[in-house]
Amino acid sequence: MGGTTAILGSLDADGRFEVLSELRTTPLAAPVETLRQAAGIVGDSGRGIGAIGIGVAGLVDFDGGIVLKAPNLPTWEGFAVREEASRLFGVPSVADNDCNVFAAGAVSLGEVPSSGLWIVITFGTGIGGSLVLDGAIQRGRGQAGEVGHMSIQAEGGLACPCGSSGCWERYAGREALLAYYRDSGGDPEDIEPRSIADRARNGCGSALEAFDRLGAWIGRGLANINNCFFPHGIAIGGGLTGAMDLWEQSARRRFRENAMLPVWNVVVLEAVSSTGALGAAVLASRLLMGREDAP
Ligand SMILES: [Zn+2]
């Protein structure tokens, strides 16, 4: 469940995943209406379902099934998503944040190894993070992994919708790239990272400089993560990874400067838009198996 699209899919007992529908949503739609719409599609498909899993773009209390914060989905804040989903669908349900379900999907596809400590990071409008240990999402007391909100700029840091300032996602996310591009004299009408990447590949100085700055901030954040966790690897996904050729060099340079033991093991996930829905279904299926990581 994202700010503009919700992807509805089903996972059957043989592990086959199928996308049933892509719903257009608006950030201001009532969450219960979106769930009703989804329940209608599931009903029409004639499938008997065992459990429901929902990933929400926001901070989700996994045990309580409540959305705590959702700057991109304001009507979902405070919504008891697990309780409402169980009531509407008549089956047990599980709710988690969007990066965790994406990570669970990537593990089930074999893209994130199911052994060792892996940090999954999505670079997009914001920066999402998940801690994966031996294939299982680690949540701490519920919301572990919010690496996008490491406060990384102490003095005069940019305000963040989370309420803090200087957060990593304000310096290494989509909006940051657009700001760097404007700062270096790029066309302010150009507001798509993809087109700025095309310009950079064609030698545009402003675009190259923007990706260079972005990369330095990405590298600094990755170094912090490496210093804190020294994971077996960092798996990255999201829109900005498509331009990694343009920021990797400067990210590696900054990483070498800031990491205590600069072992760069960053892999790019070949994820598709339904990976999160798959992961939500995987978490739901664990409810039925009585796995201990179920709420
Ligand atoms: Zn923040």
Side-chain angles (χ1 to χ4, degrees):
M1 176 70 215
T4 55
T5 316
I7 294 179
L8 188 64
S10 76
L11 181 69
D12 70 15
D14 298 320
R16 279 187 301 259
F17 179 74
E18 189 188 335
V19 173
L20 296 177
S21 178
E22 275 189 39
L23 305 176
R24 299 305 296 174
T25 60
T26 68
L28 296 176
V32 73
E33 281 309 315
T34 307
L35 291 183
R36 268 202 201 105
Q37 212 182 338
I41 293 166
V42 172
D44 291 346
S45 77
R47 282 160 212 258
I49 57 168
I52 289 281
I54 302 176
V56 182
L59 203 61
V60 178
D61 170 19
F62 183 71
D63 291 329
I66 294 168
V67 181
L68 301 176
K69 277 192 178 191
N72 296 318
L73 288 168
T75 56
W76 286 67
E77 278 194 12
F79 182 55
V81 55
R82 186 147 65 86
E83 192 185 318
E84 281 296 325
S86 293
R87 194 176 60 78
L88 274 170
F89 289 87
V91 294
S93 67
V94 61
D96 207 342
N97 93 25
D98 54 348
C99 191
N100 280 352
V101 297
F102 173 79
V107 170
S108 85
L109 291 170
E111 289 198 48
V112 170
S114 51
S115 67
L117 175 62
W118 284 78
I119 313 294
V120 176
I121 302 174
T122 54
F123 291 96
T125 306
I127 297 180
S130 297
L131 277 57
V132 182
L133 180 63
D134 296 336
I137 309 289
Q138 305 298 304
R139 298 180 181 83
R141 287 177 66 177
Q143 292 84 42
E146 289 292 340
V147 295
H149 300 281
M150 290 188 283
S151 191
I152 204 166
Q153 176 67 282
E155 294 301 321
L158 295 168
C160 181
C162 78
S164 179
S165 64
C167 294
W168 188 33
E169 71 174 35
R170 298 302 319 271
Y171 294 86
R174 184 180 185 277
E175 296 306 314
L177 174 72
L178 302 182
Y180 302 148
Y181 180 59
R182 285 194 302 270
D183 285 356
S184 57
D187 180 357
E189 304 274 295
D190 214 347
I191 53 162
E192 281 305 320
R194 197 182 295 263
S195 70
I196 299 173
D198 287 342
R199 285 177 192 275
R201 291 188 188 106
N202 287 320
C204 163
S206 311
L208 285 165
E209 197 179 313
F211 277 106
D212 214 52
R213 280 180 75 186
L214 181 83
W217 282 105
I218 289 177
R220 174 174 288 220
L222 294 181
N224 284 349
I225 289 165
N226 208 55
N227 289 344
C228 289
F229 300 104
F230 204 57
H232 292 89
I234 297 174
I236 63 173
L240 292 174
T241 53
M244 190 176 174
D245 57 314
L246 296 166
W247 56 255
E248 182 176 2
Q249 211 182 2
S250 100
R252 279 180 181 255
R253 198 182 312 124
R254 185 55 60 86
F255 182 84
R256 275 197 303 276
E257 286 166 15
N258 292 144
M260 294 174 73
L261 274 174
V263 180
W264 176 273
N265 183 16
V266 177
V267 300
V268 176
L269 298 170
E270 298 294 331
V272 291
S273 62
S274 61
T275 301
L278 164 65
V282 168
L283 294 180
S285 72
R286 290 191 187 150
L287 281 178
L288 300 178
M289 293 183 235
R291 287 273 295 264
E292 57 186 286
D293 54 349

